[in-house]
Amino acid sequence: MAKNIAEQIVEMLEDANVKRIYAVTGDSLNHLNIAVKKSSIEWIHVRHEEVGAYAAAAEAELDGFAVCAGSCGPGHVHLINGVYEAHKSHVPMLVIASTIPSDEMGMDYFQETNTIKLFDDCSHYNQMITRPEQVQRTLQTAIQHAISKKGVAVIGLPGDVSELDAEEGSTSTQIFRTNPVIRPSDDELKSLASLINESKKVTLYCGIGAGEANAEVVELSKFLKAPVGYSFRGKMSIQPNNPNEVGLTGLLGFPSAYHAMHEADLLILLGTDFPYQKFMPVKNKIVQIDESPERLGRRAKLELGLAGDVKETIKALLPLLQEKTDTHFLNEQLAFYEKVKENQLTYVKDFGKEDAIQPEYVTHILDQVAKKDAIFTVDTGMCCVWGARFITGTGERKMLGSFNHGSMANAMPMAIGAALAHPGREVIAMCGDGGLSMLLGDMATIFQYKLPVKLIVFNNRTLGMVKLEMEVGGMPDNETDMINPDFAMVAQAMGYPGKNVHKPEDVESAIKECLSFDGPYLLNIFTNPNALALPPKVDFDQVVGMTKSMAQLMLGGKMEEVLDTVKTNYKHIKGLL
């Protein structure tokens, strides 16, 4: 019996080593669903397509490629946020957007959406299959785009087309995972070496693009006596085994990295597209090295911009450099970093009170207890701050989040993808109460697939980052408070243990119990709603704004909240000195 197009697609996905498809079945996806059922691929039935796209994005970041799908109309729209996440994070993902019968297109048919227009802004490749002879070539090209360009590829698939008889194409169906050596030219390397050799104080700043070059970055930093800062996405790769690291900068970062970047004569940006221009220095010389040359110069004024893989570039550069002997600048930055870390631990020692547990303390304990190869997922907002500052990179750990797209509700869905892709690893989702509430239904997916995901809820009963944004802008926080369900009871209703933690003295034992449980577990920790995280650089306008907002709260009768905010966060001022 001849195979149909849906079966042909699934066969090609099997050959591309796809293990699962995240989707909500129905309508135009049904033929694909049945084809998957007869294959080695697993259909992961999520409750919401956005969750499926997030889960696929997590799997793609960990393993290099993943697939999600959505049926016509609402299914496409539900996918879109997670699809943006994958594309902005530069992870290879295929989206199968099944759609209405081809003869009804353009007729305002039930659940009709234009997949080309809808997905065009969040994909490298976006095409519709309408004929059998297109299938193999279109799918191969889509996957090749996703893997080679590191982003999303979308294929539109009308339901009626998916059941047509398949035809064999004449072009390649193989997927080519290439690994070229890319580095600057010899002349460019000589120019870079001259610039480095004539600079007395050099700082390295690394992003996720330097993730495979830990050993080379460490060797370069030792050779140049250079402190090493890193972005949030670069932390898990760059921090381990790095004696010269000085932390991360940016909104979530430390004053030490900010200081090292601004005090250097020469700042070298390695594999980072760090988006916050205000944290970049403007008075020293800056070099940027990135495998994507279109990114050069869009974050800072450059002395030199070079295209190249960070590992290969450093290997080619080192023989051209003169080893530096003056350690004064490096030692100065490392000493400052030690002071910053000591100040950070004051939050761990002052662990809060009942129903106002310091989130820094919770994250510190989690960092101590979690396995050395744990996979962490963090919700956007305050959970990102605590993860950035208190979860330690070991060289084996991974941390996933919506670092570029900045979307709420990503931690739990990403944990689903991570747990399915790596069943032997400890997967910990650091969830905000706002984020978890947004996609609460897929807690049932965790139970359905018996995934041993650990959901650690930082329940501060507020949208903490939004609260901070309003206050530094001089506004009293408004409509940021949240009246939450009992998340522990929700977990129990979903089929697995849930526990509330109200007192700081119970945190450590509760986390140990949660992580040692054989199966999914939710820990609902009542953290301090007034625990705010100030960035490493605070502008005068932000100080004025915070003062104005506190005054407005006092005039509004919220004196207790003002006092608690001040008492909770006075140590941040110490940390910025």
Side-chain angles (χ1 to χ4, degrees), residues 265-441:
D265 298 327
L266 176 65
L267 172 64
I268 304 177
L269 307 176
L270 297 172
T272 178
D273 196 30
F274 177 75
Y276 301 108
Q277 184 180 341
K278 289 185 177 180
F279 288 88
M280 283 291 177
V282 294
K283 295 181 180 179
N284 51 11
K285 294 179 180 179
I286 302 177
V287 170
Q288 184 179 359
I289 301 169
D290 199 291
E291 65 179 9
S292 299
E294 68 273 12
R295 298 174 189 157
L296 298 175
R298 65 182 183 182
R299 309 299 186 192
K301 186 175 289 187
L302 301 182
E303 189 77 12
L304 197 59
L306 303 175
D309 172 83
V310 173
K311 176 184 282 193
E312 296 299 331
T313 300
I314 293 176
K315 287 164 62 175
L317 175 67
L318 276 166
L320 306 176
L321 297 178
Q322 300 166 7
E323 184 172 5
K324 297 190 185 298
T325 57
D326 187 349
T327 62
H328 178 74
F329 176 65
L330 173 62
N331 291 338
E332 185 179 59
Q333 305 312 311
L334 292 175
F336 185 36
Y337 184 40
E338 288 302 316
K339 180 183 177 182
V340 168
K341 289 191 289 185
E342 182 182 335
N343 289 341
Q344 286 294 314
L345 287 177
T346 59
Y347 292 94
V348 175
K349 297 170 184 175
D350 179 14
F351 46 71
K353 58 186 179 181
E354 185 172 357
D355 289 335
I357 303 168
Q358 284 301 116
E360 299 97 331
Y361 170 68
V362 173
T363 315
H364 173 78
I365 296 298
L366 189 59
D367 179 58
Q368 300 298 307
V369 176
K371 292 181 179 179
K372 297 300 182 184
D373 66 345
I375 299 172
F376 292 87
T377 64
V378 291
D379 263 337
T380 298
M382 291 309 219
C383 287
C384 263
V385 180
W386 316 135
R389 294 181 179 177
F390 291 94
I391 298 298
T392 306
T394 63
E396 299 175 72
R397 285 177 174 174
K398 298 289 184 181
M399 184 174 288
L400 310 178
S402 185
F403 302 135
N404 291 9
H405 189 40
S407 176
M408 286 177 64
N410 61 283
M412 182 265 289
M414 285 183 166
I416 291 173
L420 284 162
H422 292 268
R425 300 274 290 273
E426 184 175 69
V427 178
I428 302 168
M430 295 172 57
C431 302
D433 50 332
L436 186 64
S437 298
M438 192 175 281
L439 291 171
L440 198 64

Side-chain angles (χ1 to χ4, degrees), residues 405-529:
H405 189 40
S407 176
M408 286 177 64
N410 61 283
M412 182 265 289
M414 285 183 166
I416 291 173
L420 284 162
H422 292 268
R425 300 274 290 273
E426 184 175 69
V427 178
I428 302 168
M430 295 172 57
C431 302
D433 50 332
L436 186 64
S437 298
M438 192 175 281
L439 291 171
L440 198 64
D442 269 274
M443 283 176 61
T445 303
I446 293 173
F447 177 72
Q448 180 165 332
Y449 292 94
K450 303 295 187 288
L451 303 177
V453 169
K454 314 305 180 188
L455 302 173
I456 311 296
V457 185
F458 287 69
N459 188 354
N460 62 0
R461 288 84 69 202
T462 186
L463 298 175
M465 188 62 81
V466 180
K467 177 185 172 82
L468 176 59
E469 289 169 352
M470 295 183 78
E471 289 178 344
V472 298
M475 298 169 276
D477 65 284
N478 184 52
E479 296 298 332
T480 59
D481 293 337
M482 300 189 67
I483 299 176
N484 292 317
D486 186 325
F487 291 115
M489 290 186 68
V490 172
Q492 293 164 24
M494 295 288 187
Y496 45 94
K499 184 174 184 178
N500 292 319
V501 180
H502 295 276
K503 297 180 179 179
E505 55 265 32
D506 297 331
V507 166
E508 185 169 357
S509 61
I511 289 178
K512 287 180 177 178
E513 178 183 323
C514 171
L515 297 189
S516 64
F517 184 77
D518 184 18
Y521 196 114
L522 183 145
L523 205 58
N524 182 32
I525 303 177
F526 286 76
T527 57
N528 187 351

Side-chain angles (χ1 to χ4, degrees), residues 41-233:
I41 297 174
E42 186 177 11
W43 187 281
I44 304 300
H45 176 201
V46 293
R47 267 48 175 190
H48 194 293
E49 288 90 349
E50 181 178 350
V51 170
Y54 272 133
E59 180 177 333
E61 180 152 357
L62 293 170
D63 293 344
F65 184 61
V67 181
C68 65
S71 63
C72 45
H76 300 161
V77 178
H78 287 171
L79 279 171
I80 201 77
N81 197 46
V83 174
Y84 262 102
E85 170 56 47
H87 197 58
K88 288 178 73 69
S89 293
H90 311 293
V91 297
M93 187 168 87
L94 175 69
V95 177
I96 301 174
S98 70
T99 189
I100 63 171
S102 54
D103 63 340
E104 294 287 357
M105 289 182 178
M107 298 298 139
D108 197 21
Y109 189 72
F110 177 65
Q111 293 189 325
E112 180 175 4
T113 52
N114 186 322
T115 59
I116 301 297
K117 287 184 177 180
L118 184 65
F119 291 104
D120 208 44
D121 190 46
C122 54
S123 62
H124 287 306
Y125 184 85
N126 180 19
Q127 295 295 329
M128 178 78 68
I129 293 175
T130 58
R131 297 174 60 84
E133 57 266 36
Q134 287 180 276
V135 175
Q136 288 182 323
R137 187 162 54 163
T138 300
L139 183 57
Q140 191 272 348
T141 303
I143 297 174
Q144 202 67 51
H145 271 73
I147 291 172
S148 303
K149 289 182 173 290
K150 296 183 181 179
V152 170
V154 181
I155 57 168
L157 181 65
D160 60 317
V161 173
S162 67
E163 60 179 310
L164 297 177
D165 288 344
E167 293 186 17
E168 291 298 316
S170 59
T171 57
S172 179
T173 60
Q174 184 180 352
I175 305 305
F176 300 96
R177 290 176 167 83
T178 59
N179 188 29
V181 174
I182 303 172
R183 66 163 180 82
S185 68
D186 291 345
D187 286 342
E188 288 174 319
L189 286 172
K190 288 177 183 177
S191 296
L192 175 58
S194 296
L195 192 57
I196 293 173
N197 289 335
E198 67 188 30
S199 300
K200 292 183 178 180
K201 300 184 294 183
V202 180
T203 293
L204 309 180
Y205 183 73
C206 304
I208 189 66
E212 300 298 320
N214 174 278
E216 288 75 17
V217 168
V218 171
E219 184 180 2
L220 181 63
S221 73
K222 288 180 177 179
F223 200 76
L224 300 180
K225 310 301 181 287
V228 182
Y230 42 78
S231 68
F232 193 178
R233 288 191 76 194

